[in-house]
Each structure stands twice: as C-alpha cells, then as structure tokens.
C-alpha cells in the first residue's frame, strides 16, 4: 500500500484545542520517570513491576502536594504481562504509593504506544467531564515479561495476507522498511551513534535529573544470593563511546544480509513513568505550575508488514488535528524502535535532525514498551521548558506492533 493510500484511513483523534489558551485546557502539571535499565542485567533486574510504578506515582503527589484522593482515575499503559495480573500489580502500586482505596486504576494496551495512549485517555476523560484530575502512566518490566509469539492461529488467517503479517517478528518488519524504502545500514548505524551521543551528553549535563525519580531497590548476586540495597538514578543502557566502526562489526540480528542489528535497534528495558493532568482552571486555582498543554492525539493503522512507518502517518494527523502545520513543531520525540523506521519517518516528513530526539532515544535509553510513551512526555516537556519561548509546540510519536502509528501534540505550559 502506498503512503498516499494510508493517509486516507480515518484516524482516532482526540483534540484539545488549536493553540489558543483556555481555562478548559487539559494541562500537565508534573511528569516523572524512573531511570531506564537493561532488562535481565541492569539496575532493575531484581525489581518487581509494582516496585517500578509506585515511586513515579508517589513522586507526582510529592511534587505537587496534591491530595491523592482528588485523582479521578489512574490509567497505566502496559504491554507484555497478562492483563488481569498487571492490573492487580498496578492497583497494589497505587496503594503502596499512598493513594486511598477510593482512587480507581486501570490498564490500557496499544502495544508500544500504551504509555502515550494512557495520557491521551486521561486527557479525553478530563475533556469529557468524567473527572478533573487524572494520571496517565506507563510500566514495563521486560525482565519479568518477555515478548512471546502467538502460538495458536485459526487456519483462515492464511487467506488474509495482512492478518498473517501481524505475526511477523518486529525485526523482520524493520528489515521490510529498510528494503521497501531504501534505508541503508550506514544510515541506521549513524542514527544509533547520534542517539547514544546525545543521550550521553544529556546525562552528563544533568538534563534528565528534572524528570528522573531515583528508585531505591535491591540487586541480588546470582551466585551467592546476597542482597544489596541500591538507589538507581541514571539510565544504564547508554554507551557514550558508540561509533560507526564498532557498529559495522555487528551481524544482522533477524535476517541474513539484513541491516538491523543489536546496535541499531531499541534496547530491551525495564522502567516506568507517570504524568499528572488536570483542567487548567483547577491548576490555576491550586497555584500549580503548568508544564505543558495537551493539544491533540491521533492513532492510525498502516500495513502490518512495515509497521514502523506509523509515525510518518500519525504525526501529520495529530498536527492537523491541533490546527497546526508541521513547520510549527519545534521538537519531536519519535520512538527509535528500529533505526530503519526512525530514519525513514524522519526523512519522509523532512524533519530537521536538530529538532528530533535531541536528548537521544530508545536505541540509547531503552524501550520499556508500555512506559515509553509516558517517558517521552516527561522528556519532551522538560526540554521544552528549558528552551523557553523559542519552543512552543512538541510532538511525541511511535510505531505500533501489528501496524499502527500514534502521535500527540503538546504545547509548552508557561
């Protein structure tokens, strides 16, 4: 299917204005995340999912001094764990974080966009008048839960090529994007180098300190069983010395003669993030600083065989829904699921590289599936705040397994 054909698909859109300030705006007053750590061998390898979520939920209340009983709902994006099990773990996390039992919680799963979907769901509920304050969050422990293939498929699926393509390993869809749209191995490796360099620079300059909540946890020695208490405060997947020479030595991970490697794909990670939203009028009444304004959201389907192109379709839809042009956007956070799709989407939309993932992305930081969307909100809004009046609008976007893209537009709050 051509890109032109895909853009005609009707998006699922939630719009919250066209840039004009209103007391009815849905605003973000706080956004926090844990460090992102390498699954199975990083700082959170012995930390349970509820232990990841509780600190970021608690941090929102501590930062704002909000009465937690005022929160109308908590929505948590999460992908890999069985739904009922993760929903209970999230409820446990909220109670451990100090939320009273009257505050409800639920999970949402739209694959890699789940954290952003959670934020969008809360924004839509506030706009609809269901409640005035809500939390959109994201959580994934890829140490605890792994990506598994669907084991049983009805025979009739073989008659539907696109339905079959939903079963393709994500790495193969990355190879499909590279082949179909001519993304070279060199372009992919260069994107990875840039991601690591920018993430390392952001860490060294202390940029992430505004968004990261240090997490006190434990690490077990696998040989002795000895338990060591630690505080995790930095992302542990960043490799500052990443370079083209070393990346060129890596073999293709998914296909002989392919171009996707362990070095130019997102890392398998553990982490959580949370975003506190409310009506502008209420934030003003409470004297809370406004970090950002939720302007629009769009989710659109694409060909499952090249699921990585999702942002190339979703971003224009979300920007249009916000009443803006692509040229109005000052910063982009595009999830680097694979370098192939990240490079393609950036080139297709003709984005200025100096505006995209300025503090690195998932190839360096990692991609805890359900948490990434909410993590990006924290990263984007804090960067927009640092840049001030020269940075008014920002976009977050990602591709979605089985063939979709999601995007949201935010405005700087001050």
């Amino acid at each position: 299917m051509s890109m032109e054909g895909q853009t005609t698909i009707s998006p699922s859109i939630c719009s919250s204005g066209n840039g004009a300030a209103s007391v009815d705006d849905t605003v973000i007053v706080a956004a926090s995340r844990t460090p992102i750590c390498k699954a199975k061998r990083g700082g959170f390898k012995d930390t349970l999912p509820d232990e990841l979520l509780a600190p970021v939920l608690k941090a929102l209340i501590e930062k704002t001094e909000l009465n937690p009983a005022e929160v109308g709902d908590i929505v948590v994006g999460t992908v890999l764990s069985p739904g009922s099990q993760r929903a209970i773990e999230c409820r446990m996390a909220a109670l451990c974080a100090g939320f009273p039992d009257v505050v409800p919680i639920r999970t949402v799963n739209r694959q890699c966009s789940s954290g952003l979907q959670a934020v969008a769901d809360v924004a839509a509920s506030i706009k609809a008048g269901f409640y005035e304050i809500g939390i959109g969050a994201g959580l994934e422990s890829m140490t605890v839960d792994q990506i598994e293939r669907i084991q049983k498929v009805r025979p009739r699926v073989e008659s539907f090529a696109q339905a079959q393509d939903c079963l393709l390993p994500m790495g193969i869809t990355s190879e499909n994007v590279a082949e179909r749209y001519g993304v070279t191995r060199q372009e992919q490796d260069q994107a990875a180098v840039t991601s690591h360099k920018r993430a390392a620079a952001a860490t060294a300059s202390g940029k992430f300190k505004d968004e990261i909540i240090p997490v006190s946890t434990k690490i077990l020695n696998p040989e002795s069983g000895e338990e060591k208490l630690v505080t995790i405060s930095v992302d542990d997947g960043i490799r500052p010395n990443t370079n083209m020479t070393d990346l060129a030595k890596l073999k293709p991970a998914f296909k002989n003669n392919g171009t996707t490697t362990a070095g130019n794909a997102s890392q398998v990670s553990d982490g959580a993030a949370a975003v506190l939203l409310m009506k502008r009028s209420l934030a003003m009444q409470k004297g809370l600083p406004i970090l950002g304004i939720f302007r629009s959201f769009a989710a659109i389907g694409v060909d499952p065989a090249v699921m990585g192109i999702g942002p190339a379709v979703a971003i224009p839809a979300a920007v249009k829904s916000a009443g803006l042009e692509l040229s109005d956007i000052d910063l982009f956070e595009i999830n680097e699921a694979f370098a192939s799709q990240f490079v393609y989407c950036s080139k297709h939309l003709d984005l200025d590289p100096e505006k995209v993932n300025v503090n690195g992305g998932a190839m360096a930081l990692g991609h805890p599936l359900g948490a990434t969307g909410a993590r990006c909100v924290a990263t984007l809004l804090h960067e927009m705040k640092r840049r001030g009046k020269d940075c008014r609008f920002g976009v977050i976007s990602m591709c979605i397994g089985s063939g979709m893209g999601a995007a949201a537009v935010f405005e700087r709050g001050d």
Side-chain angles (χ1 to χ4, degrees):
M1 184 184 293
S2 69
M3 288 300 299
E4 288 77 11
Q6 288 156 358
T7 57
T8 63
I9 300 172
S10 297
S12 166
I13 291 177
C14 163
S15 177
S16 186
N18 60 2
S22 165
V23 293
D24 292 325
D25 284 340
T26 300
V27 302
I28 294 92
V29 296
S32 300
R33 69 174 179 94
T34 68
I36 301 172
C37 294
K38 294 175 286 190
K40 296 187 180 298
R41 54 199 177 96
F44 293 139
K45 72 180 185 67
D46 300 305
T47 303
L48 295 172
D50 62 289
E51 295 175 308
L52 286 172
L53 182 59
V56 291
L57 294 178
K58 186 175 182 180
L60 298 182
I61 300 306
E62 291 179 341
K63 279 186 175 183
T64 59
E65 298 183 350
L66 181 73
N67 177 356
E70 293 184 72
V71 174
D73 201 2
I74 302 172
V75 182
V76 184
T78 184
V79 178
L80 297 177
S81 176
S84 60
Q85 176 181 322
R86 182 50 46 83
I88 291 172
E89 291 171 330
C90 290
R91 173 68 165 162
M92 291 161 52
L95 294 169
C96 289
F99 288 81
D101 58 14
V102 296
V103 177
I105 192 166
R106 67 174 173 90
T107 59
V108 62
N109 187 348
R110 201 198 290 266
Q111 307 288 14
C112 297
S113 71
S114 297
L116 185 62
Q117 185 68 59
V119 173
D121 283 3
V122 170
S125 292
I126 291 173
K127 183 176 175 63
F130 295 162
Y131 45 80
E132 292 189 317
I133 302 174
I135 293 173
L139 165 67
E140 208 72 57
S141 172
M142 299 181 79
T143 294
V144 173
D145 302 297
Q146 289 79 50
I147 298 174
E148 296 182 356
R149 301 287 300 275
I150 295 176
Q151 299 299 319
K152 292 183 179 181
V153 179
R154 62 176 183 155
R156 193 172 176 221
V157 165
E158 295 179 4
S159 302
F160 299 88
Q162 287 194 313
Q164 269 196 304
D165 287 343
C166 290
L167 301 173
L168 288 173
M170 293 299 96
I172 295 299
T173 71
S174 171
E175 295 289 2
N176 290 345
V177 170
E179 291 178 19
R180 189 177 298 187
Y181 301 107
V183 183
T184 67
R185 168 73 181 267
Q186 186 173 8
E187 286 179 303
Q188 294 173 60
D189 285 353
Q190 184 57 61
V193 170
T194 300
S195 185
H196 282 278
K197 296 295 185 189
R198 288 180 173 180
T203 300
S205 64
K207 282 188 174 182
F208 292 141
K209 288 183 178 179
D210 291 336
E211 63 195 67
I212 287 180
I213 300 302
V215 178
S216 296
T217 186
K218 62 183 182 298
I219 292 200
L220 298 178
N221 184 314
E223 296 179 0
S224 67
E226 180 183 355
E227 184 178 296
K228 180 181 179 182
L229 298 180
V230 296
T231 298
I232 308 298
S233 57
V234 295
D235 306 308
D236 67 17
I238 303 168
R239 299 186 296 274
N241 297 321
T242 298
N243 60 79
M244 294 293 285
T245 301
D246 289 344
L247 289 179
K249 298 174 183 177
L250 297 176
K251 295 181 179 180
F254 302 99
K255 183 179 181 180
N256 290 337
N257 300 318
T259 56
T260 300
T261 72
N264 61 32
S266 59
Q267 299 182 37
V268 177
S269 312
D270 304 329
V275 180
L276 180 60
L277 301 94
M278 63 180 66
K279 290 186 68 170
R280 181 195 289 272
S281 57
L282 189 56
M284 293 171 63
Q285 178 185 321
K286 291 180 176 294
L288 293 172
I290 296 173
L291 187 59
I293 307 157
F294 185 93
R295 286 299 178 199
S296 70
F297 173 79
I300 301 183
V302 299
D303 183 351
V306 286
M307 68 91 201
I309 68 172
V313 181
I315 289 173
V319 170
K320 182 179 180 181
S321 176
L324 302 171
E325 302 289 339
L326 206 56
S327 58
D328 294 320
I329 307 304
D330 302 295
L331 282 180
F332 295 84
E333 283 286 329
I334 300 178
N335 186 43
E336 300 167 349
F338 297 97
S340 62
Q341 56 83 211
F342 170 73
V343 169
Y344 167 74
C345 293
S346 298
K347 288 172 65 176
H348 177 78
L349 297 174
D350 195 24
L351 303 182
D352 180 351
E354 297 304 313
K355 293 183 177 182
V356 185
N357 294 4
V358 296
N359 295 317
M363 286 185 281
L365 297 170
H367 177 26
L369 307 182
T372 289
R375 190 281 296 174
C376 286
V377 175
T379 301
L380 175 72
L381 293 184
H382 282 102
E383 181 62 28
M384 292 175 73
K385 180 181 178 181
R386 280 189 292 271
R387 296 190 176 212
K389 61 183 175 64
D390 293 329
C391 186
R392 184 175 179 187
F393 295 107
V395 161
I396 294 168
S397 187
M398 64 281 294
C399 58
I400 302 169
S402 77
M404 289 175 274
V409 177
F410 296 83
E411 185 175 0
R412 195 188 75 250
D414 56 356

